[in-house]
Amino acid sequence: MRPESNAIRIQTERSNEGEHSTPIFLTSSFVFDNAEEMRAAFADEKDVNIYSRFSNPNVTEFEQKLAALEETEDCFATASGMSAITASFLAFLKAGDHLLACSSIFGSTHTVITKYLTRWGIEYTYADINKPETWEALIRPNTKMIFAETPTNPGLDLVNLEWLGQLARKHKIILNIDNCFATPALQQPAKYGADIVTHSATKFIDGQGRVMGGAVCGRKDLVKEVYLFCRATGPSLSPFNAWVLSKSLETLHVRMERHSENALKLAGLLEHHPSVKSVKYPWLLSHPQYEIARKQMKAGGGVVTFELKGGLEQGRRFLDAIKMCSLTANLGDTRTTVTHPASTTHAKLTEAERLSTGITPGLVRISVGLEHITDIVSDLEQALELSK
Ligand SMILES: *Cc1c(COP(=O)(O)O)cnc(C)c1O
């Protein structure tokens, strides 16, 4: 079956009740009929559930669906995107290893790398996303992993996955891609040579702003290392959240298509608005990496950023004038969400630090939701008018 169908049809074995939808297995442990069965389970001779920190039917169902969507051999789900990313580092890196990471990455990932990995003797270098020609020279004999996001949050910059996959293979380095913004509905990094694909399921995968979750997809042998690390350290996904996320995957393709359709319409209109200096969206011809986007993504995704002519002050006035859309840090929701990074999420950075990650004073990030596009556009247009 095709990935879209697998996302709907993969299901935990039915119980004697003949239920159509999967029940929630709220149980911390699983029972055995006799001493021999229990011994075999603990000796890993049988693939059965023992304890929900290790595995649970709802979590397994979500993992199998996500692996089918990414078209990877396996997947392990975790309690949040950050626990997935942290586990994907700690399962493979040890003191003395070097991590080459793209400079434009999610704030908490940056903290894990600079504050914690260094504490455990793991070195890192940041590579400039806009200068890919400099990356190869940054690889050292002890470089064990390359980590990147594409498209990046909030810069919407892209990495050429085919090129990066070849670079990683040439140097025998694990390539780890955070696929949170595109989701497997729009981009499958493993096809271009990513060994590991990490996810915050909290965003577009849930898609309705309800639960936290994360996942690591990839080759069986690599996902096993992540599983063993998590089985021991415990950032497991709860059965309830896994149930929600498994249901969410059934509509992922349909939602991502509409998110992308709405976002492209909005981006096109904003490009011609007199208050707007510039617009960034992977599917606009004006995006510097438009060709790469067309090659490795099926659509542009749900996030649009734009720069207001009036800078920081106009950014704040714009937020105050919003009526329908939500002012919130989350993204990937059915509801359109708006953030002004310079005065909120990135306010603690210096102006120079903000500019180095592409956050200009008037930058606004919109995660375009599934409301009717006419309503999204009229809310944003009236707010632009009032913020002049
Ligand atoms: C939100 C986000 C994360 C972290 O995910 P959580 O589920 O919040 O822990 C990681 N990467 C990207 C790109 C994100 O947007």
Side-chain angles (χ1 to χ4, degrees), residues 46 58 210:
K46 273 177 141 178
N58 295 113
R210 300 165 297 189

Side-chain angles (χ1 to χ4, degrees), residues 80-82 85 106 149 153 178 180-181 200 202-203 212-213:
S80 67
M82 283 323 302
I85 291 168
F106 188 65
E149 277 172 30
N153 180 11
D178 180 338
C180 170
F181 261 43
S200 166
T202 316
K203 311 291 170 56
M212 306 289 301

